[in-house]
Amino acid sequence: MRLFLASYRFGGFAERLTTLAGGKGKVAVIPNACDAWPAAWASAVASDMEPLRRQGYSPEVLDLRDYVGQPAQLERRLREYSMVWVRGGNTFVLRAQFARSGADSVLPALLREDALTYVGYSAGACLLTPDLHGLETMDDPGEVLPTTGAAPRWDGLGLVDRQLVVHLDSATDPDGESAKMLARYQEEGVPHWALTDDDVVVVDGEHTEVLRGSR
């Protein structure tokens, strides 16, 4: 299993991603964490496509809403790519769209098969944790039902064994919610990784490493 989990995009380790992925091929960009914000959806997608192209990848949008109730079709499509890129947004909306499309079973199976590399940042990284409780201070579970027709789910995919605190000391978190979450995890003894926007967690088979940026 190959995972590249960041607070923001490549963090400070774009070249490490290339090494992990074994090159720069086709990338499925999954932007469904932004589904609750239709006015911003297209610009959010564009903001990820260009950095990927600049790095030499070939990104294509894969919208999970096109695969609701069609996990077999989703699996066939995902097998066309060497990497998936799951962007930030609302983690609860993203979790619901993974469930509706079957991505919550299809992607873990492909990752265990080592068929592709998973890149997730912010919501796309938090999705892989065991439990989404605590994220409601940063992401609104109330956006799930009107966006997807489903109730919020509080279970993560459990592909990593601890929680993630993202955007630590970041300008994207002016109210310091990530620092409050970190303090709560520390007080309660919850296993976690705390990431600034330069930091990355890399899982490569049995080896897990936290890469710290310059910040």
Side-chain angles (χ1 to χ4, degrees), residues 2-93:
R2 288 171 291 158
L3 311 175
F4 185 94
L5 307 179
S7 177
Y8 187 69
R9 293 187 180 149
F10 303 97
F13 299 94
E15 291 309 311
R16 181 60 181 273
L17 173 57
T18 303
T19 301
L20 182 70
K24 298 182 178 182
K26 285 177 62 178
V27 180
V29 175
I30 298 178
N32 297 97
C34 296
D35 287 350
W37 316 320
W41 199 90
S43 61
V45 173
S47 73
D48 277 358
M49 300 286 273
E50 187 52 37
L52 282 162
R53 291 191 185 103
R54 285 200 303 267
Q55 289 291 332
Y57 296 96
S58 300
E60 298 175 358
V61 175
L62 194 159
D63 189 342
L64 295 178
R65 293 175 295 186
D66 295 336
Y67 296 91
V68 172
Q70 302 180 75
Q73 290 90 330
L74 176 62
E75 179 182 348
R76 284 196 291 271
R77 177 76 187 281
L78 284 169
R79 287 189 180 278
E80 299 174 10
Y81 298 94
S82 60
M83 190 167 91
V84 294
W85 173 279
V86 186
R87 65 156 288 129
N90 187 316
T91 311
F92 297 100
V93 171

Side-chain angles (χ1 to χ4, degrees), residues 76-160:
R76 284 196 291 271
R77 177 76 187 281
L78 284 169
R79 287 189 180 278
E80 299 174 10
Y81 298 94
S82 60
M83 190 167 91
V84 294
W85 173 279
V86 186
R87 65 156 288 129
N90 187 316
T91 311
F92 297 100
V93 171
L94 181 64
R95 178 68 183 94
Q97 301 296 41
F98 262 62
R100 295 173 73 225
S101 63
D104 56 354
S105 58
V106 168
L107 254 176
L110 291 174
L111 290 166
R112 292 187 180 103
E113 183 187 319
D114 201 28
L116 40 69
T117 302
Y118 182 102
V119 182
Y121 76 86
S122 195
C126 293
L127 178 71
L128 301 197
T129 63
D131 185 356
L132 305 185
H133 285 91
L135 289 172
E136 67 273 13
T137 61
M138 302 180 76
D139 297 341
D140 183 4
E143 292 182 332
V144 177
L145 184 59
T147 301
T148 70
R153 293 184 57 151
W154 296 85
D155 60 320
L157 300 192
L159 295 183
V160 293

